[in-house]
Amino acid sequence: MSKITMQDLVSLCKNRGFIYADSEIYGGLSNSWDYGPLGVELKNNIKKAWWRRFIQQEPNNVGLDSAIIMNPRVWEASGHLSGFSDPLMDCRNCKSRHRADKLIEEWIVKQQDNGSTEEYPSAEAMSDEESQAFIREHNITCPNCGKCDFTPIRKFNLMFKTFIGVTEDAKGTVYLRPETCAGIFTNFKNVLRSTRGKLPLGIGQIGKAFRNEITPGNFIFRTREFEQMELEFFCNPSEGMDWFKKYRTACMEFAKYLGLSDKNLRFRDHSPEELVFYSAGTTDIEYKYPFGWSELWGIAYRTDYDLSRHSEFSGEDMTYTDPFTQEQYIPHVVEPSVGVDRMLLAILCDAYRVEKIGDGDERVVMGFKKSLAPIKCAVLPLSKKLEDIASNVYGELSKNWRVEYDTTGSIGKRYRRQDEIGTPYCITIDFDTENDKSVTIRDRDTMQQVRVKIDDLDAWLHEHIYD
Ligand code: GAP
């Protein structure tokens, strides 16, 4: 077994068709990535699994697909226009750009790794003046050039601005949404009314979000254009903490269900100083990426903040009246929010392994959970003479499955190619197939083989791919 480095991962993703640098023929665009034929399958499978778990299987939850460009008043109400900014500092020596909070957080982690037991304040809770003083006092240096000579902090709004209509003036200014949840809040009453819904009620959506990040990087971990899977769960204030705990557990279980190993996952509860004033609790699920532990999923108990603000700014009363008790209240919200790309990165890292397979030979395997694998099986005829029967098998299977058909190279080489892209099953068509109407199925992980009737193949795959 061996661990993957970010370099290995980027190169495997490019060579095998998971992820390419965006606009590469023009020299690329920094930190922009395109999903290739395998990447898009993997991404779709992750989104389907999330939708099935958090929308389809939850009796109280429904889905939504709201617009990316919204009325700009939405961002006044949500606080994004005034407050969605990062503390930006430039290094005077090498001109590189940094987020002050990240410099401090990384420095604290380094001290702790070196055995320090000192309690440090949370970087997120510091004012700009406090951050600058902390950086000076602890001589925190530029990661690029090692000097401690930074400009004062400037606030930098992360929303992408654009214009609607022909004139680029203030009246036509709109923003690309920096998170998908805003459309859920603005549609809360629509959904309640049109579904005759009662609380508790969850509304989820999957979609693109855009942030003009100061320090994007680590491949698809932090990008300016990304996808989120967000659920806003509306409930009675007296039940909010219970739902928060339920979703905290459900999200961790789901991360493991997708195949992420226990040892690479942990909860990180936000300290009271770190919590925003309206939050009654926030927990991150962190994943141990090759570059260290970092946020994968945020689960936030946001109380009645969002609906109250939208009530105030839109004039639409968001009060809910319980049809049984007549109790009236502004619903509380529990929000589990995860990036599709970040989940995909964790899944790629966790799936990668190199195995010794005797005689000094080795194979690279992407050991995806079978239902997530981009290609579910490969049809491999042992000889050109078997192509008729093989293409019939391929045609039948591809009605229900994403299948590859490969006739080139030795069977060993073909197996290795499929291992490297994580295909759970290789189906070999041999000279007995014509007589016994059966094929050999080889398992990616155990490399064991079984003989199965062609007529039973579809049912066999269902049984072995889905749990
Ligand atoms: N509505 C709440 C919200 O957006 P967030 O913590 O800012 O909260 C939620 O984002 C999740 O979205 C994160 O846990 C992460 O998985 C993903 N995410 C946030 N910014 C990202 C970025 N620049 N690139 C990729 N994923 C990002």
Side-chain angles (χ1 to χ4, degrees):
M1 300 281 180
S2 72
K3 280 191 158 185
I4 196 165
T5 64
M6 288 308 281
Q7 229 174 356
D8 295 335
L9 190 66
V10 174
S11 121
L12 182 138
C13 282
K14 178 177 178 179
N15 292 334
R16 295 287 165 246
F18 283 95
I19 301 169
Y20 311 122
D22 169 66
S23 342
E24 204 177 0
I25 59 168
Y26 290 100
L29 176 68
S30 66
N31 301 295
S32 256
W33 303 95
D34 296 340
Y35 287 84
L38 297 182
V40 68
E41 298 287 346
L42 181 57
K43 207 179 190 199
N44 285 342
N45 293 340
I46 293 170
K47 291 193 276 188
K48 268 188 247 159
W50 182 91
W51 195 267
R52 201 170 51 239
R53 171 63 190 86
F54 290 102
I55 306 297
Q56 193 175 313
Q57 293 175 356
E58 287 288 336
N60 296 323
N61 295 359
V62 294
L64 183 82
D65 184 10
S66 68
I68 286 174
I69 297 176
M70 304 180 74
N71 185 314
R73 293 268 292 153
V74 168
W75 310 118
E76 276 178 51
S78 66
H80 282 85
L81 265 179
S82 55
F84 192 53
S85 50
D86 276 347
L88 171 70
M89 285 180 125
D90 289 328
C91 170
R92 286 199 180 96
N93 184 52
C94 71
K95 314 291 178 224
S96 60
R97 195 151 271 183
H98 305 278
R99 269 175 63 172
D101 54 340
K102 291 289 162 219
L103 282 179
I104 295 172
E105 272 168 18
E106 280 158 19
W107 182 84
I108 292 175
V109 168
K110 212 180 277 170
Q111 304 311 301
Q112 287 163 346
D113 287 350
N114 290 339
S116 166
T117 50
E118 196 168 327
E119 291 274 323
Y120 293 105
S122 146
E124 275 192 27
M126 289 183 197
S127 67
D128 291 350
E129 290 68 32
E130 286 166 341
S131 299
Q132 282 166 191
F134 190 95
I135 286 171
R136 268 197 310 274
E137 190 185 323
H138 295 92
N139 196 32
I140 298 177
T141 54
C142 168
N144 199 38
C145 71
K147 290 264 173 356
C148 178
D149 184 10
F150 296 104
T151 59
I153 287 176
R154 278 176 295 136
K155 286 294 191 194
F156 173 76
N157 194 297
L158 300 184
M159 280 201 294
F160 278 101
K161 199 191 268 192
T162 185
F163 302 94
I164 275 188
V166 285
T167 48
E168 296 193 0
D169 58 17
K171 265 202 249 155
T173 303
V174 287
Y175 302 88
L176 303 188
R177 67 181 176 196
E179 52 185 21
T180 62
C181 58
I184 298 180
F185 297 126
T186 56
N187 278 298
F188 168 65
K189 290 196 86 174
N190 277 338
V191 173
L192 203 60
R193 202 180 303 122
S194 56
T195 60
R196 293 175 292 117
K198 294 178 192 62
L199 296 199
L201 166 77
I203 308 177
Q205 77 169 324
I206 301 176
K208 288 257 180 176
F210 303 83
R211 297 181 190 177
N212 199 358
E213 298 278 2
I214 300 172
T215 51
N218 282 327
F219 196 23
I220 53 170
F221 178 79
R222 180 171 287 109
T223 49
R224 298 192 169 102
E225 172 181 344
F226 55 98
E227 251 182 303
Q228 288 184 312
M229 306 187 278
E230 295 203 288
L231 179 76
E232 306 303 314
F233 193 82
F234 301 90
C235 61
N236 186 307
S238 65
E239 297 170 355
M241 195 41 87
D242 286 345
W243 284 111
F244 172 61
K245 287 181 187 156
K246 178 186 166 214
Y247 272 107
R248 198 177 169 277
T249 308
C251 294
M252 181 59 102
E253 278 171 5
F254 182 71
K256 290 180 190 165
Y257 165 80
L258 291 185
L260 301 184
S261 344
D262 239 340
K263 66 177 182 357
N264 290 332
L265 288 165
R266 70 180 184 194
F267 285 120
R268 190 182 73 79
D269 294 322
H270 287 210
S271 63
E273 309 84 69
E274 210 181 330
L275 284 180
V276 275
F277 69 92
Y278 53 78
S279 176
T282 296
T283 299
D284 291 342
I285 294 178
E286 293 189 331
Y287 181 78
K288 196 173 181 190
Y289 293 96
F291 47 85
W293 288 98
S294 253
E295 177 183 341
L296 167 67
W297 203 325
I299 302 110
Y301 178 9
R302 300 178 60 88
T303 64
D304 64 0
Y305 177 76
D306 306 277
L307 289 185
S308 298
R309 292 279 292 188
H310 286 298
S311 244
E312 184 189 333
F313 280 72
S314 67
E316 178 85 30
D317 184 7
M318 299 284 185
T319 308
Y320 174 76
T321 305
D322 187 299
F324 302 112
T325 63
Q326 305 308 313
E327 182 190 359
Q328 292 199 318
Y329 55 87
I330 303 270
H332 273 202
V333 169
V334 171
E335 176 195 67
S337 171
V338 59
V340 179
D341 316 80
R342 253 182 219 190
M343 181 59 90
L344 192 141
L345 179 60
I347 286 171
L348 285 170
C349 296
D350 227 289
Y352 178 88
R353 59 179 199 261
V354 182
E355 284 176 5
K356 297 259 176 280
I357 47 168
D359 286 348
D361 208 2
E362 55 182 35
R363 64 173 189 151
V364 172
V365 185
M366 292 304 279
F368 299 122
K369 180 184 176 66
K370 292 175 177 169
S371 58
L372 287 188
I375 306 291
K376 297 296 188 285
C377 55
V379 175
L380 315 174
L382 279 189
S383 151
K384 286 240 178 271
K385 293 185 189 130
L386 298 164
E387 287 214 28
D388 279 352
I389 189 160
S391 54
N392 281 341
V393 171
Y394 171 81
E396 277 307 306
L397 287 180
S398 55
K399 290 178 185 165
N400 288 330
W401 307 97
R402 194 73 185 82
V403 189
E404 266 203 5
Y405 185 78
D406 189 3
T407 57
T408 51
S410 70
I411 192 70
K413 279 218 176 89
R414 285 186 264 171
Y415 284 158
R416 296 290 163 276
R417 275 204 291 267
Q418 296 302 326
D419 290 342
E420 215 180 330
I421 63 171
T423 306
Y425 297 111
C426 286
I427 298 174
T428 312
I429 314 290
D430 56 33
F431 287 100
D432 289 332
T433 301
E434 272 175 332
N435 302 324
D436 65 2
K437 306 283 179 261
S438 299
V439 293
T440 302
I441 303 182
R442 178 244 192 205
D443 183 288
R444 174 195 71 200
D445 300 320
T446 62
M447 292 188 277
Q448 295 201 328
Q449 307 197 353
V450 286
R451 196 87 183 149
V452 174
K453 290 259 175 241
I454 292 175
D455 285 348
D456 298 339
L457 262 181
D458 188 64
W460 191 95
L461 287 173
H462 266 286
E463 191 185 325
H464 288 81
I465 285 177
Y466 292 120
D467 42 28

